Amino acid sequence: MNIIDMHCDTIMHFYDGEHLNGMEGTHINLEKLVQGNCLAQCFAIFIPTNEAAEHHGITDSPEEYFDKAYAAYLREMELCKDTIRPAYKAEDILKNHEAGFISSILTVEDGVTLRGRIENVDKFHEMGVRMVALTWNFENSLGFPQSKDPEKHMLGLKPFGIEAVLRMNEIGIAVDVSHLSEGGFWDVARHSTKPFAASHSCCRSLSDVSRNLTDDQIRAIGNAGGTVGVNFATNFLRPVTDWKTDRFVSCDIVIEHLRHMMDVGGKDLPALGSDYDGMGAEMEWRDYGGYQMLTDRIADAFGDEMAEKICWKNALRMFNDIWK
């Protein structure tokens, strides 16, 4: 089964000087992408700020970090060009596949470097960015992140956030609401003229964490023609007392979230958004190289036609609608 995975944090390893071909101890490397039957992988430039920067030992400014991470991504695409090629349109993914190549889609996790300047949205597009998560876990010029505090969780987009969403719609960048406050989510739903995505989120009704989506949010994404990529983080999938020690993720619990997404948002909604190399789950299928164990189980649960929609066709259809 082909795979389009909507989110990973593997670029952080490129930034640290590691190479896609030959990396060890990561969920993703070049060999695992091939083994897992990758059609296209969304590689996110996650920009650590505040406590996250301290945790990762990052002293660069967000702009400095972005530039270095982007250069490292381009380096790896050049080094691995015999196996993986960038994709900028949905048709590029299919053309690359026909030619025997995996596709790489560049995304950004946290629009902090936009700094309230609309020309920076266009710069992202010119650099090949095709999806942007408006926030990570901190406030920026676009809006506010999800929060356990109900009042903060309902804070909406800032005026620049609305302007940026509309510009992304115009030029062909997918708007990603994973990590966004619920208030910001509903602003995206009201203002976006194109489908939008939650690239790596799960169902709040099955695991009550603020990063997960309520049924109303899932329904809104489905009504807009968007997709939700199920995240493989343990506490997103099931309630845990301590996600650092209780880390096992089964195929069955992923399927439970996919089934709920489908029941609430429709058959065109569910997709895959692993968060590989950005979370510490111990998955039954291990890593990207074992992805086919999960996809086989998805096919057993839903049939081959629906499994193809989940594993790649829903994401490809959405990207095609946005990137035209």
Side-chain angles (χ1 to χ4, degrees), residues 3-8 40-42 272-276 288 291:
I3 297 289
I4 294 180
D5 185 306
M6 294 175 63
H7 185 81
C8 77
Q41 178 61 44
C42 292
L272 300 174
S274 63
D275 205 7
Y276 282 141
Y288 211 115
Y291 230 143

Side-chain angles (χ1 to χ4, degrees), residues 216-232:
D216 285 344
Q217 289 177 295
I218 292 169
R219 195 172 292 112
I221 295 173
N223 289 341
T227 60
V228 178
V230 64
N231 190 318
F232 299 154

Side-chain angles (χ1 to χ4, degrees), residues 95-149:
K95 288 179 180 178
N96 284 343
H97 181 64
E98 290 171 2
F101 299 109
I102 293 169
S103 286
S104 171
I105 301 163
L106 182 62
T107 74
V108 171
E109 187 172 25
D110 193 345
V112 61
T113 61
L114 294 176
R115 298 296 189 193
R117 299 173 61 186
I118 202 67
E119 60 267 28
N120 286 336
V121 177
D122 291 74
K123 182 180 178 181
F124 270 180
H125 190 269
E126 291 166 5
M127 297 173 80
V129 173
R130 290 299 180 267
M131 183 161 62
V132 174
L134 301 184
T135 64
W136 189 61
N137 288 346
F138 303 102
E139 178 185 353
N140 62 24
S141 64
L142 297 118
F144 304 88
Q146 53 77 32
S147 175
K148 295 178 182 179
D149 182 324

Side-chain angles (χ1 to χ4, degrees), residues 87-275:
Y88 307 106
K89 296 181 179 180
E91 63 192 53
D92 293 343
I93 296 172
L94 297 178
K95 288 179 180 178
N96 284 343
H97 181 64
E98 290 171 2
F101 299 109
I102 293 169
S103 286
S104 171
I105 301 163
L106 182 62
T107 74
V108 171
E109 187 172 25
D110 193 345
V112 61
T113 61
L114 294 176
R115 298 296 189 193
R117 299 173 61 186
I118 202 67
E119 60 267 28
N120 286 336
V121 177
D122 291 74
K123 182 180 178 181
F124 270 180
H125 190 269
E126 291 166 5
M127 297 173 80
V129 173
R130 290 299 180 267
M131 183 161 62
V132 174
L134 301 184
T135 64
W136 189 61
N137 288 346
F138 303 102
E139 178 185 353
N140 62 24
S141 64
L142 297 118
F144 304 88
Q146 53 77 32
S147 175
K148 295 178 182 179
D149 182 324
E151 290 187 10
K152 291 181 179 179
H153 195 53
M154 295 312 298
L155 292 172
L157 291 181
K158 297 178 180 180
F160 175 68
I162 296 171
E163 183 184 8
V165 165
L166 295 175
R167 185 58 182 159
M168 290 180 203
N169 290 164
E170 290 174 357
I171 63 178
I173 295 177
V175 176
D176 182 359
V177 297
S178 284
H179 287 280
L180 188 62
S181 66
E182 187 170 346
F185 173 97
W186 290 114
D187 281 340
V188 171
R190 278 189 290 270
H191 292 283
S192 181
T193 61
K194 294 284 183 73
F196 60 97
S199 67
H200 56 304
S201 296
C202 295
C203 305
R204 183 90 63 87
S205 65
L206 300 180
S207 187
D208 188 15
V209 296
S210 56
R211 269 276 281 107
N212 281 347
L213 301 167
T214 66
D215 285 0
D216 285 344
Q217 289 177 295
I218 292 169
R219 195 172 292 112
I221 295 173
N223 289 341
T227 60
V228 178
V230 64
N231 190 318
F232 299 154
T234 313
N235 61 321
F236 286 16
L237 291 166
R238 59 179 176 83
V240 297
T241 302
D242 183 355
W243 64 268
K244 293 182 180 180
T245 57
D246 183 7
R247 300 167 65 180
F248 181 71
V249 169
S250 68
C251 295
D252 289 342
I253 191 62
V254 173
I255 289 167
E256 188 175 347
H257 279 260
L258 291 169
R259 189 183 305 279
H260 188 78
M261 289 178 186
M262 189 190 316
D263 290 345
V264 173
K267 293 183 178 180
D268 294 333
L269 175 114
L272 300 174
S274 63
D275 205 7

